[in-house]
Amino acid sequence: MRTWFRLTVCLTFLSLGCGISEPPSSAEELRDSAEAALATGETSAALSGGADRALPRWATRQVLFGDVAHYRFKLQVGPRVHDTIVIHRVVKESAAWTPNKTGDAIFMVHGDAWGFEQAFLSSVDSEQVPRRQSIAAYFAQEGLDVWGIDLRWVGVPAATQEFSFMSEWNLGTHAQDVGTGLRLARGLRLAGGAFGKMNLLGWSRGSHVAHAYLNAEAQLPRGRRQVDGFIPMDMPVRFAPEHAQQQAWACSRYEALKLRRALYGPEGGLLGVAPGVGLQAIGKLAATAPNEPSPIMPDDIFGPGTGRPTNRRVAIVAAAATGAIMKPLDPLTPNYHLLAGVPDASGLPGSLTYTVEGYLHEYAQTAAPYQSINEVVESEAWLCGEDVPYDDRLRDVTVPVFYVGAGGGVGEYGVYSTTLLGSRDVTSLVVRDLPPASRALDFGHADLFLADSARTRVWRPILQWIRAH
């Protein structure tokens, strides 16, 4: 409890530039520090974009390698048992429990299926790639203060059978939770003597969440906003007029997903109910019995006469021809895929181009079992051109923007969305090796984080952009 008073005083007198003279030295004191930061920071939901009263349930610290540590804070952000989020911090330390004072910081929002650790810190528990080969680890090594969130559905236990508690979760809920995470990050950074606002990164559907947060934050006076740089990754919120076909596909997905929600309730995603359970099975079967016939896929699923695929083939096709497992839903973009693959004699992907195959198997097994379908439906409505409550103030978002896309994911289809913001400082990078006509074989949506070359092709340009702004 000894840090509570010190942190409260520090946050009350920010103009004095004080830091914590006695940093936490235990998990309990770290939790107390988080509670103080949330209680004495920007406490109003209207001001912060987050919950009025977020209570830390626990906090942990784990040394990852060298002087890089991973802090986790579980916060209760609502009245029900599953109304919880986990906020992550990956940062260099000057001593145990004492994060370095850093000028640059980033807050990362994941997309479907995978939470913060699985999407952005997956190398730490991998047997396939070096421990430091993930974006959050890379940024921390380079001196950034890395923060991120597990959205509420990430923590729903696999044994859960009843999902009515998800019925009110949507993009707005998740945007508010991002606001709570930013408030915690800002409070602890300021108390530790680190000043400056955050760069906000949103990948995939996390970009929709991030846009929704920035839209809400734009209603605040400029001096009370939390974010001063935005990095949307490989996802649009609207399609350009010349991409009418992709908009029509979004409308088709929107109608299908609304029907699915009406039939099966508030849990599910693009891959149906319990989407992560299926992904886990694909990964485990490919890792443990790669050449056995798949027990979860029917004969000829990949075309007439192709027979029952092996477990290995299911994993590779699911990653490198992702539209094949999304059917009957239309893909997000033409030939959209998670990871680039190399076709075999059948014309289907037979191996991966940029990412280690065993890393894919691990990645699939770490998917969260469940997801709330409301944000998926709302995202598709947004892409379809429907009226949504998350974009009426985007013109007031004027922070610098760096759009990063994958040539075989969303790629160039995401650039148009940057024009909907009021930002004048806009940079775009589409990572590709092939012309758009060959996007079926190009750098994939998750290659941005899993590919061996992602460090030099994706993460380093983002880091350079942050430092330049």
Side-chain angles (χ1 to χ4, degrees):
M1 297 293 290
R2 63 195 174 94
T3 59
W4 179 289
F5 176 75
R6 174 65 180 168
L7 181 55
T8 302
V9 172
C10 182
L11 288 169
T12 303
F13 298 101
L14 290 178
S15 60
L16 300 179
C18 59
I20 300 176
S21 60
E22 298 181 29
S25 59
S26 68
E28 181 181 7
E29 290 185 0
L30 183 63
R31 181 186 62 79
D32 292 341
S33 295
E35 186 168 355
L38 288 164
T40 60
E42 307 283 14
T43 57
S44 125
L47 176 65
S48 70
D52 263 329
R53 187 62 172 162
L55 296 175
R57 293 305 183 197
W58 49 253
T60 64
R61 169 185 173 269
Q62 173 192 15
V63 176
L64 297 183
F65 45 77
D67 57 356
V68 175
H70 178 198
Y71 295 82
R72 301 177 183 87
F73 306 86
K74 185 171 184 178
L75 308 181
Q76 188 77 38
V77 290
R80 295 166 299 188
V81 65
H82 297 298
D83 289 332
T84 62
I85 58 175
V86 175
I87 301 301
H88 300 263
R89 186 182 195 182
V90 184
V91 64
K92 280 186 174 180
E93 295 179 313
S94 56
W97 303 94
T98 309
N100 285 355
K101 297 178 183 179
T102 60
D104 293 322
I106 189 168
F107 192 99
M108 308 174 75
V109 186
H110 62 83
D112 291 353
W114 292 275
F116 174 87
E117 292 180 65
Q118 297 74 29
F120 304 130
L121 200 58
S122 53
S123 65
V124 169
D125 294 321
S126 174
E127 297 179 356
Q128 302 293 326
V129 299
R131 191 173 179 82
R132 304 179 184 217
Q133 189 178 308
S134 54
I135 187 171
Y138 170 76
F139 282 163
Q141 287 176 274
E142 294 294 326
L144 288 189
D145 192 356
V146 182
W147 294 78
I149 188 170
D150 285 342
L151 299 176
R152 299 185 188 199
W153 48 264
V154 173
V156 175
T160 305
Q161 297 293 317
E162 199 278 323
F163 299 94
S164 61
F165 59 87
M166 290 184 174
S167 60
E168 296 179 4
W169 295 355
N170 58 20
L171 285 177
T173 307
H174 300 325
Q176 288 180 350
D177 291 343
V178 167
T180 298
L182 286 166
R183 190 169 86 230
L184 174 64
R186 181 171 181 263
L188 289 181
R189 278 174 52 77
L190 286 170
F195 295 89
K197 296 181 182 177
M198 285 275 180
N199 293 281
L200 179 62
L201 182 152
W203 172 51
S204 196
R205 205 170 310 279
S207 180
H208 284 94
V209 176
H211 275 86
Y213 172 78
L214 289 172
N215 186 74
E217 188 182 74
Q219 302 175 46
L220 305 177
R222 194 175 306 277
R224 295 162 74 181
R225 300 177 188 179
Q226 306 282 15
V227 174
D228 64 350
F230 182 34
I231 307 165
M233 293 191 69
D234 213 43
M235 180 63 73
V237 294
R238 297 281 192 197
F239 285 108
E242 61 267 28
H243 298 149
Q245 179 65 74
Q246 281 60 61
Q247 181 175 335
W249 287 355
C251 294
S252 175
R253 292 193 303 273
Y254 170 52
E255 295 298 332
L257 288 165
K258 280 198 302 181
L259 177 60
R260 184 179 293 175
R261 179 176 61 183
L263 292 174
Y264 300 110
E267 189 283 322
L270 290 175
L271 301 182
V273 296
V277 173
L279 290 170
Q280 290 173 13
I282 288 172
K284 184 174 182 179
L285 289 166
T288 58
N291 298 317
E292 294 297 315
S294 171
I296 59 176
M297 295 292 178
D299 291 342
D300 298 340
I301 187 174
F302 297 139
T306 58
R308 181 67 63 92
T310 64
N311 293 317
R312 176 176 179 266
R313 163 142 291 195
V314 170
I316 291 176
V317 174
T322 309
I325 64 166
M326 285 180 56
K327 292 179 179 178
L329 298 181
D330 291 314
L332 187 63
T333 57
N335 298 304
Y336 168 88
H337 51 268
L338 289 176
L339 303 173
V342 179
D344 60 19
S346 72
L348 291 169
S351 60
L352 299 180
T353 307
Y354 303 102
T355 294
V356 174
E357 186 176 328
Y359 201 14
L360 163 64
H361 303 163
E362 292 176 339
Y363 184 63
Q365 291 180 74
T366 62
Y370 307 113
Q371 185 169 350
S372 56
I373 200 170
N374 286 339
E375 71 263 20
V376 185
V377 172
E378 287 185 322
S379 297
E380 299 300 346
W382 203 343
L383 291 169
C384 175
E386 294 287 316
D387 184 32
V388 295
Y390 307 118
D391 61 359
D392 57 317
R393 299 297 294 271
L394 289 182
R395 279 292 175 191
D396 295 324
V397 177
T398 58
V399 299
V401 177
F402 185 25
Y403 170 75
V404 180
V410 171
E412 65 275 15
Y413 292 94
V415 175
Y416 172 76
S417 291
T418 65
T419 69
L420 305 178
L421 305 173
S423 307
R424 294 185 177 181
D425 182 348
V426 178
T427 305
S428 295
L429 169 66
V430 176
V431 183
R432 62 162 25 108
D433 288 321
L434 302 169
S438 300
R439 66 186 339 271
L441 305 177
D442 215 338
F443 210 81
H445 186 65
D447 280 321
L448 294 167
F449 303 99
L450 302 182
D452 286 346
S453 60
R455 175 191 296 262
T456 56
R457 304 188 68 181
V458 184
W459 313 341
R460 185 177 297 166
I462 295 174
L463 178 65
Q464 291 169 340
W465 181 87
I466 289 172
R467 286 175 170 167
H469 289 80

